[in-house]
Amino acid sequence: MTIEAIRTVSSAIAKSRITLFHFGWIVLFATLGLVIIGVTAIDLARPDGANALAADAKRQLVFLVIGLTAAAIAAVPHQRLLAILAWPAMIAVLALLVFLILPFVPASIVSPRNGARCWINLGFTDIQPSELGKVTYVMVLAYYLRHRSNHRTLMGLIPPALIAAVPMGLILLQPDLGTASLFIPTLVAMLVVAGARMAHLISTTLLGGAFLLGVVLASLWFARSDQYPLLKKYQVERIESALDLAKGDTRRASDRGFQGQAALVVAGSGGLTGHTSERSRALVQFSGLPERHNDMIFAVVVNRFGFFGAVAVISLYLAWIGGALLVAGACKEPFGRLVVSGFAAMVATQMTINIGMNLGLLPITGITLPFV
């Protein structure tokens, strides 16, 4: 950091004022509402929660305290200081992502889970570098776009795409297709906020969508002969399971389609208003739904609180996203405006994918429901 940069940041901090009344409270209260619903659902989903609060639910409350503390700390420094730290933080996270895929790293440090090398064991806890990558990616992209205008040309879209491609590629090598799928929608949203031309974004998005569709169709074709050159076998089976659900085909519901089918049954049995806590706990426990306390938690929420519960969760997300966009609109700094817009897009995308896979509308991926 140069002396001039330090002076600029110091001057900005000295001139900044703390405002108690702002749209950020909407985001905070929406977050608390989602966490409360999540703790209730996690407690229902875990067998040790019958007589006392389940261990995973208690851990979620601990994470809430840690998250609120981290949010308060992040709110103290001026945005310009965070902008200066964006690239160093990104480089550190990329190093961790490379570390995950090194073949000689001992299994005691990086142990594959469900076939993916996503976690680093620190002894007292685990960390998932791809989650840190989501944050640093938004910060670096905002730092790049904050005072530039070349992204308003077609060729100017290449550098932002490369910024997304590096962490995406490393995350795909784990492999973690779910987390990697969040980067492109976030990129498009931030480019829109930065002023990129819609014609360029639409054309490149259509080309990217056509390429992705081609990969999926080719993978399904090769799978007929039990070959999987483009996607992993389990990834192809998840796509096939989603297609089975869409067609109402239950012939494979006991194997590859079990998780999706079980999620639909658990969610569907909630009806309009849901069940009592005791009945919902019994239904969820005996359903045998895999990953019901994390990836498939939305099905548990709908079972307990019914259709109205689903509407409440989606409404809280809309409030969160709307509050974030209001914060972005009120922000005078380009960096801050882009960062908040990027996080809003990422939460919206992750929410949509998770709820879609719980309802059988999208293939199941290892992606969680934010705050829930």
Side-chain angles (χ1 to χ4, degrees):
M1 185 186 300
T2 64
I3 296 177
E4 185 62 31
I6 295 175
R7 289 176 178 172
T8 301
V9 173
S10 301
S11 176
I13 294 173
K15 294 178 180 178
S16 64
R17 297 178 180 178
I18 296 176
T19 305
L20 294 179
F21 301 99
H22 51 76
F23 297 116
W25 292 108
I26 299 175
V27 178
L28 176 61
F29 287 124
T31 300
L32 293 175
L34 289 168
V35 172
I36 291 171
I37 293 174
V39 169
T40 304
I42 293 170
D43 182 62
L44 290 173
R46 303 304 283 168
D48 57 333
N51 300 316
L53 194 64
D56 284 324
K58 293 178 181 177
R59 187 172 64 171
Q60 186 78 343
L61 290 174
V62 172
F63 288 159
L64 171 63
V65 175
I66 295 173
L68 289 175
T69 303
I73 294 173
V76 172
H78 194 273
Q79 303 162 29
R80 294 182 185 178
L81 178 59
L82 297 178
I84 293 172
L85 297 175
W87 272 110
M90 183 65 161
I91 293 171
V93 170
L94 290 178
L96 291 176
L97 291 173
V98 171
F99 179 78
L100 281 172
I101 60 178
L102 293 176
F104 54 81
V105 175
S108 59
I109 300 177
V110 178
S111 179
R113 301 181 186 179
N114 298 323
R117 298 169 61 90
C118 301
W119 298 85
I120 298 177
N121 181 13
L122 298 180
F124 61 93
T125 188
D126 295 334
I127 63 169
Q128 189 174 5
S130 59
E131 291 297 315
L132 301 175
K134 288 155 54 177
V135 176
T136 56
Y137 159 70
V138 170
M139 292 174 61
V140 166
L141 191 58
Y143 183 84
Y144 175 83
L145 294 173
R146 71 195 195 287
H147 294 309
R148 295 177 184 270
S149 59
N150 61 333
H151 56 273
R152 294 186 176 91
T153 66
L154 191 59
M155 295 301 296
L157 297 178
I158 295 177
L162 291 176
I163 293 175
V166 175
M168 268 186 65
L170 292 173
I171 293 171
L172 285 171
L173 290 175
Q174 294 177 3
D176 185 356
L177 182 60
T179 301
S181 65
L182 303 176
F183 283 68
I184 296 302
T186 303
L187 171 64
V188 173
M190 293 180 70
L191 285 171
V192 170
V193 173
R197 295 182 181 274
M198 292 302 298
H200 297 160
L201 292 177
I202 292 173
S203 60
T204 52
T205 301
L206 289 176
L207 287 173
F211 174 76
L212 180 60
L213 179 61
V215 169
V216 171
L217 293 177
S219 299
L220 293 174
W221 174 264
F222 281 110
R224 295 181 177 183
S225 57
D226 202 28
Q227 297 178 12
Y228 303 91
L230 300 174
L231 296 176
K232 300 288 185 181
K233 180 179 179 180
Y234 74 89
Q235 293 172 332
V236 174
E237 289 181 345
R238 287 176 176 178
I239 296 172
E240 292 175 332
S241 299
L243 293 175
D244 290 342
L245 284 176
K247 295 184 294 186
D249 187 349
T250 59
R251 289 176 296 176
R252 302 294 300 273
S254 60
D255 44 58
R256 74 184 184 194
F258 176 75
Q259 188 171 13
Q261 187 67 38
L264 282 180
V265 172
V266 169
S269 65
L272 195 63
T273 58
H275 300 288
T276 63
S277 178
E278 292 76 14
R279 179 173 175 79
S280 181
R281 186 185 304 278
L283 290 171
V284 171
Q285 295 294 332
F286 285 104
S287 69
L289 175 63
E291 308 296 341
R292 56 184 177 268
H293 69 292
N294 45 41
D295 297 355
M296 313 307 289
I297 195 68
F298 185 75
V300 179
V301 172
V302 180
N303 181 275
R304 173 66 177 87
F305 300 107
F307 173 78
F308 292 139
V311 172
V313 169
I314 295 173
S315 298
L316 284 170
Y317 276 116
L318 292 178
W320 196 102
I321 296 164
L325 293 178
L326 288 172
V327 170
C331 184
K332 298 179 181 179
E333 289 276 349
F335 175 78
R337 184 165 58 250
L338 287 165
V339 164
V340 177
S341 301
F343 287 144
M346 188 164 284
V347 168
T349 304
Q350 189 165 339
M351 176 268 293
T352 302
I353 293 175
N354 182 274
I355 292 178
M357 74 185 196
N358 271 261
L359 299 180
L361 302 175
L362 293 172
I364 293 175
T365 62
I367 194 169
T368 55
L369 193 58
F371 311 115
V372 181

